[in-house]
């Protein structure tokens, strides 16, 4: 029994491959723009993908399904916002005290860590296309 998985994540995470997890068992890796056929053990399976600790949502799949891995709006805009924040934060350091700068930076880093590692499916998701 096979499913087709296509990765369309754009520029986000373009270099590292995504690991595909079927029924909590690590499987193949898929790179950006690639389409692969996966053998699922039963007619139904639980599918999830992960990239460097960041996880997608879970999806119940059946034999013959076509699956797409895509980047959410959070994933698309979070990295540019993070870069802009660091630029602003570096300028803040010249205008504010070091304590205020470090507090602001710490809050941002905690938020970033929380979003990436504790909210599954916030950065990239998987869905059925047919």
């Amino acid at each position: 029994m096979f499913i087709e998985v296509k990765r369309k994540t754009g520029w986000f995470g373009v270099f590292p491959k995504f690991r595909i997890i079927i029924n909590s068992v690590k499987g193949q890796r898929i790179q950006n723009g690639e389409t692969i056929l996966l053998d699922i053990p039963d007619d139904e399976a639980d599918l999830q993908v992960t990239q460097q600790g960041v996880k997608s949502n879970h999806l119940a799949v059946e034999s013959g399904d076509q699956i797409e891995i895509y980047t959410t709006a959070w994933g698309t805009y979070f990295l540019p916002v993070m870069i802009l924040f660091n630029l602003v934060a570096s300028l803040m350091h010249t205008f504010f005290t070091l304590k205020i700068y470090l507090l602001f930076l710490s809050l941002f880093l905690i938020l970033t860590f929380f979003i990436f590692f504790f909210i599954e499916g916030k950065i990239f998701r998987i869905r059925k296309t047919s």
Side-chain angles (χ1 to χ4, degrees):
M1 308 299 169
F2 291 93
I3 59 171
E4 180 182 288
V5 180
K6 182 175 186 176
R7 179 176 166 191
K8 286 178 54 176
T9 52
W11 61 269
F12 180 79
V14 72
F15 297 112
K17 294 180 178 181
F18 281 37
R19 168 82 67 186
I20 298 172
I21 301 171
I22 301 173
N23 294 334
S24 302
V25 177
K26 292 180 180 180
Q28 279 183 263
R29 293 181 178 265
I30 185 170
Q31 62 188 13
N32 194 31
E34 185 178 17
T35 301
I36 60 173
L37 286 176
L38 288 177
D39 186 20
I40 58 174
D42 300 317
D43 284 342
E44 295 182 359
D46 178 64
L47 186 73
Q48 186 179 35
V49 295
T50 183
Q51 181 189 47
Q52 297 179 336
V54 181
K55 297 178 181 178
S56 74
N57 58 308
H58 287 268
L59 185 67
V61 296
E62 299 173 352
S63 180
D65 282 346
Q66 293 180 336
I67 309 301
E68 178 182 60
I69 305 168
Y70 67 98
T71 306
T72 65
W74 271 93
T76 302
Y77 299 112
F78 191 74
L79 185 62
V81 166
M82 192 165 71
I83 292 169
L84 182 64
F85 172 81
N86 283 319
L87 291 173
V88 170
S90 65
L91 292 174
M92 282 182 58
H93 181 60
T94 60
F95 298 113
F96 296 103
T97 65
L98 182 61
K99 287 182 183 178
I100 293 173
Y101 167 72
L102 291 176
L103 175 68
F104 193 55
L105 185 62
S106 298
L107 290 174
F108 181 75
L109 292 175
I110 290 168
L111 177 65
T112 302
F113 182 79
F114 181 76
I115 288 172
F116 271 99
F117 295 105
F118 293 105
I119 303 178
E120 290 184 0
K122 202 62 160 168
I123 304 299
F124 52 88
R125 296 186 60 80
I126 51 178
R127 64 181 169 205
K128 293 181 184 182
T129 57
S130 67

